[in-house]
Amino acid sequence: MCGIIGYIGKQDAQSIIINGLKKLEYRGYDSAGISLINDKNQVIIKKTQGKIANLESILNHKDNGKIGIGHTRWATHGKPSDINSHPHVSNNAKFSVVHNGIIENHEELKNMLVQEGYSFASETDSEVVPVLLEKYNQGNLLEAVRKVIEVLQGSYALCVISSDYPEEILVVRKESPLIIGLGEEENFIASDIPAILEHTKKIFVLEDDEIGVVSAKGVVVYDSQGKLVDKKLVKVNWSLETAEKQGYPHFMLKEIFEQPGAVRKTLAGRIKEGTVNLDLDIEVDKIDKIAIVACGTANYAGQVAAYIIQSRLRIPVLVNFASEFRYMNPLVDENTLTIVISQSGETADTLAGLREAKSKGSKILTITNVLDSSIPRESDYVIYTQAGPEISVASTKAYITQLIALYLFILDFGYRKEILNKELVASWLSELEAVPEKIEEILNRSEVLEGFAKNIKDAASMFFIGRGLDSVSCLEGALKLKEISYIHAEAYPAGELKHGTLALITKAVPVMAIATSKKLVDKTISNISEVKTREAITYCIAFKNVRDIKDVDYLFTLPDIIDELAPILTVVPLQLLAYYTAVLKGNDVDHPRNLAKSVTVE
Ligand code: AGP
């Protein structure tokens, strides 16, 4: 998610903006920039790829100004680069803009403006805004902004300054957060509270379609009809640290609760009239095998996909941990499509696995969350997840958006290979579109998992059992619990227990059974009885409409969904169980011992 900061008042704008951007670094970004109106009434812009330290190295401290805006960019459209960084400027260099969100009709607007003689320097969607302001400017900045937002489609938080109007900053909010901080003869703007918390705790929260005119003397807010809005003053009582997590105690919990939005963003623009629109020009007829390569949680997302590709597309699938794949002389060739999954796009083992597959002639499809990171740069095709920066070491929203991307790929690939028909594709897509609300329904019952966590927190070991796709969800559930609560956990195919590991089941070993597979639920129920008779305390995740499962001590039900998509919902209670257990054990949830967010070494 990008970060925005703006200032107008009696102090030096440059230093306030740079410090504000530093308070937003935690959100993850790949470039940063600032623009000011200096005391010669010129728009000065400094921006660069990389960290804020890079930006500071190109600043000129003689650029004095009392009004300015700043931005940290998390690239989604247009790779990280100096020219793609914000702020962007109009052709006449009089309007400068920073933007969070996505202008969905930017291509059409760009073409219209080029026809009218305007030019563009960057690959971004955001640059259309300052150019439109130049086009519509007729002596009143508020009117020009109104005309611009009439033609914009998509989501945006905008901050606008202009040397024609050096006494005001215009701000607009549509589906991307923006707040105004109130000072004494000075005012602040930010995408969220940490950027301005040291200056003021009195804020206005802009609502969708509101426009704010911010000057040193005051703030005026209008609604979409141009009527004055009497904004409610909000007094912030957060510490800076809490503010970075937007009120959540940990990034992990924030990221778990961001999952509905992350799914919506990952689906956005990729479903058109009941078909998938991924824009991948994979030569499907040449592909007779699929390899999937990833590490950790990303590998489990791949295992879900492998199960469905095999069972529904009837195409052979190799799925391996990258650290193994790279040394196993894998059976991969020019007729194999290798799918590489990595949240960070920097995992060393996964990058090595990609190179191994490529060396054998395989085409590479990457699924990743970080634009232009090392792994997509070496791939033939890319599907970007739109989870936004994932700060917590334990992967949550990245996993769920990897699943979404994989389902979209399977439907697209299967349809284009004439294995899946239009009706099935359309029905699965409508199920996917209903996923965000179903995740929200689960999140609304998160206290149930907190209760489960109180029961299991002192266990030395826990089992996760399931069949089919449920056995893959068990792998992810066990990993989550291990990596942040430090409780040993083992994921085991439910049908395998009797072949040895049942010996480990005692009253002291809680068992989580995942029983969403409608065709295997009876078998899993009998496995629950199997462990119950060995005195295990049993937990179960199953659909609401499942036949009542008598032997389970604790049941968590899911809203219904087709079997193949169940892993998307099943993982949410598993994430919450791990999170609450780790909190109860007093662990450092976001930075678990021995672990790093991105493993860039072998
Ligand atoms: C998952 O919670 C862990 N953080 C870890 O397994 C992670 O998924 C793995 O290291 C892969 O990272 P990547 O997706 O960035 O390649």
Side-chain angles (χ1 to χ4, degrees):
M1 186 81 124
C2 307
I4 285 180
I5 173 93
Y7 176 77
I8 186 165
K10 54 201 176 196
Q11 301 185 66
D12 169 47
Q14 184 162 263
S15 56
I16 288 187
I17 289 167
I18 292 295
N19 289 329
L21 291 178
K22 287 179 179 173
K23 295 284 190 300
L24 295 174
E25 286 197 280
Y26 72 90
R27 299 156 64 104
Y29 67 103
D30 48 55
S31 47
I34 179 172
S35 72
L36 307 163
I37 298 174
N38 67 11
D39 36 26
K40 299 186 187 69
N41 208 33
Q42 297 157 322
V43 174
I44 305 291
I45 291 191
K46 302 282 186 191
K47 59 184 187 175
T48 176
Q49 182 179 352
K51 294 304 174 195
I52 291 169
N54 293 8
L55 175 61
E56 288 184 293
S57 69
I58 63 170
L59 294 180
N60 176 346
H61 295 284
K62 294 199 191 68
D63 287 336
N64 299 316
K66 304 279 189 260
I67 170 175
I69 54 180
H71 190 262
T72 50
R73 182 176 185 239
W74 169 267
T76 54
H77 293 69
K79 64 181 182 303
S81 67
D82 293 357
I83 196 63
N84 286 339
S85 311
H86 299 213
H88 289 290
V89 71
S90 55
N91 287 192
N92 65 5
K94 292 189 168 209
F95 297 87
S96 174
V97 176
V98 292
H99 165 232
N100 279 358
I102 296 176
I103 308 289
E104 291 182 1
N105 61 333
H106 67 276
E107 288 295 348
E108 171 199 327
L109 292 169
K110 242 184 206 176
N111 294 337
M112 171 192 79
L113 291 162
V114 166
Q115 296 296 322
E116 294 176 14
Y118 294 96
S119 61
F120 289 88
S122 80
E123 304 161 319
T124 68
D125 54 335
S126 311
E127 193 182 0
V128 297
V129 178
V131 178
L132 284 167
L133 284 165
E134 176 180 346
K135 168 183 164 70
Y136 290 127
N137 177 36
Q138 287 180 339
N140 179 301
L141 187 54
L142 175 59
E143 285 315 308
V145 167
R146 280 214 177 94
K147 288 202 178 79
V148 169
I149 58 180
E150 273 170 21
V151 299
L152 296 184
Q153 289 166 21
S155 60
Y156 42 86
L158 296 172
C159 243
V160 175
I161 58 173
S162 168
S163 50
D164 280 0
Y165 312 94
E167 304 302 323
E168 58 192 24
I169 300 178
L170 268 282
V171 293
V172 192
R173 178 214 158 122
K174 184 170 176 54
E175 295 169 20
S176 202
L178 208 53
I179 59 175
I180 301 170
L182 307 177
E184 299 299 320
E185 293 176 51
E186 61 183 6
N187 288 303
F188 306 81
I189 297 131
S191 43
D192 71 10
I193 295 168
I196 57 172
L197 196 56
E198 67 179 286
H199 302 293
T200 178
K201 296 201 169 195
K202 295 186 290 180
I203 64 170
F204 288 150
V205 179
L206 278 188
E207 302 299 335
D208 272 358
D209 300 320
E210 288 184 343
I211 303 177
V213 182
V214 183
S215 66
K217 295 185 178 55
V219 177
V220 181
V221 177
Y222 300 92
D223 67 14
S224 56
Q225 312 306 316
K227 281 213 292 299
L228 278 176
V229 177
D230 181 14
K231 291 302 285 180
K232 181 165 81 66
L233 186 68
V234 174
K235 288 231 172 50
V236 178
N237 57 6
W238 287 349
S239 67
L240 179 59
E241 201 231 349
T242 309
E244 287 181 351
K245 301 177 186 89
Q246 288 165 9
Y248 288 97
H250 300 98
F251 281 113
M252 184 177 176
L253 191 62
K254 172 172 168 286
E255 289 156 7
I256 289 172
F257 277 76
E258 283 178 338
Q259 291 182 122
V263 168
R264 286 191 186 95
K265 288 198 185 88
T266 303
L267 288 172
R270 291 170 164 166
I271 298 177
K272 284 218 162 71
E273 287 112 41
T275 58
V276 179
N277 171 42
L278 282 176
D279 207 11
L280 295 174
D281 56 352
I282 297 171
E283 294 175 82
V284 296
D285 296 338
K286 275 183 63 180
I287 304 298
D288 61 13
K289 189 191 308 178
I290 288 178
I292 299 178
V293 182
C295 299
T297 288
N299 178 280
Y300 300 148
Q303 291 194 37
V304 168
Y307 190 95
I308 296 167
I309 291 167
Q310 213 144 242
S311 63
R312 285 288 184 151
L313 306 191
R314 311 306 291 161
I315 293 174
V317 188
L318 292 170
V319 52
N320 295 97
F321 290 107
S323 52
E324 292 297 310
F325 180 85
R326 60 186 294 193
Y327 298 116
M328 65 170 43
N329 188 16
L331 267 175
V332 161
D333 60 25
E334 63 284 354
N335 298 118
T336 308
L337 175 67
T338 299
I339 303 176
V340 175
I341 309 167
S342 174
Q343 187 285 130
S344 62
E346 299 297 347
T347 301
D349 282 328
T350 308
L351 183 56
L354 178 155
R355 289 171 179 163
E356 172 67 11
K358 210 164 184 175
S359 71
K360 292 177 178 291
S362 173
K363 291 287 187 194
I364 309 294
L365 164 64
T366 278
I367 293 175
T368 187
N369 196 41
V370 182
L371 196 70
D372 210 39
S373 49
S374 304
I375 287 174
R377 276 210 300 270
E378 297 192 24
S379 304
D380 300 287
Y381 319 101
V382 186
I383 303 175
Y384 283 107
T385 51
Q386 299 292 341
E390 188 176 67
I391 310 294
S392 191
V393 165
S395 188
T396 51
K397 60 179 184 174
Y399 174 74
I400 232 168
T401 52
Q402 286 161 2
L403 289 178
I404 297 295
L406 285 160
Y407 284 120
L408 289 173
F409 162 75
I410 291 167
L411 292 171
D412 184 42
F413 187 81
Y415 180 67
R416 286 167 58 211
K417 243 180 134 52
E418 297 178 7
I419 302 167
L420 301 179
N421 63 39
K422 199 166 169 49
E423 292 67 35
L424 178 132
V425 171
S427 71
W428 282 37
L429 289 175
S430 59
E431 293 265 1
L432 283 174
E433 289 178 309
V435 158
E437 290 75 20
K438 294 183 176 180
I439 296 174
E440 282 160 355
E441 194 271 342
I442 294 167
L443 294 173
N444 289 338
R445 293 183 284 135
S446 59
E447 73 287 346
V448 176
L449 284 307
E450 198 164 6
F452 290 5
K454 288 185 180 123
N455 298 345
I456 69 161
K457 68 180 178 59
D458 298 321
S461 178
M462 180 167 190
F463 266 68
F464 290 73
I465 63 170
R467 291 171 177 260
L469 279 171
D470 289 334
S471 66
V472 182
S473 298
C474 288
L475 290 165
E476 175 55 13
L479 176 62
K480 285 281 122 2
L481 189 67
K482 281 182 281 194
E483 66 177 320
I484 59 171
S485 80
Y486 313 150
I487 292 174
H488 175 260
E490 188 148 357
Y492 226 79
E496 267 301 292
L497 276 173
K498 52 189 173 294
H499 299 288
T501 35
L502 197 56
L504 293 178
I505 301 298
T506 71
K507 188 175 177 59
V509 178
V511 175
M512 167 66 76
I514 301 176
T516 66
S517 163
K518 297 180 182 72
K519 69 175 190 298
L520 296 169
V521 64
D522 292 336
K523 302 284 181 201
T524 308
I525 289 174
S526 65
N527 296 129
I528 292 171
S529 306
E530 205 173 47
V531 296
K532 189 83 197 140
T533 50
R534 274 78 182 179
E535 296 189 291
I537 308 295
T538 50
Y539 300 79
C540 182
I541 295 172
F543 288 128
K544 280 196 176 66
N545 56 7
V546 75
R547 283 176 296 294
D548 55 329
I549 299 176
K550 295 187 184 56
D551 274 356
V552 167
D553 298 299
Y554 300 94
L555 174 64
F556 186 87
T557 57
L558 299 175
D560 195 34
I561 198 166
I562 57 174
D563 274 14
E564 288 89 349
L565 301 187
I568 305 173
L569 302 183
T570 307
V571 74
V572 179
L574 297 172
Q575 294 165 347
L576 291 165
L577 176 65
Y579 170 76
Y580 288 120
T581 306
V583 169
L584 288 167
K585 291 175 76 76
N587 293 354
D588 182 350
V589 173
D590 287 326
H591 313 96
R593 66 187 181 204
N594 312 337
L595 299 180
K597 181 58 186 170
S598 177
V599 186
T600 53
V601 294
E602 195 176 328

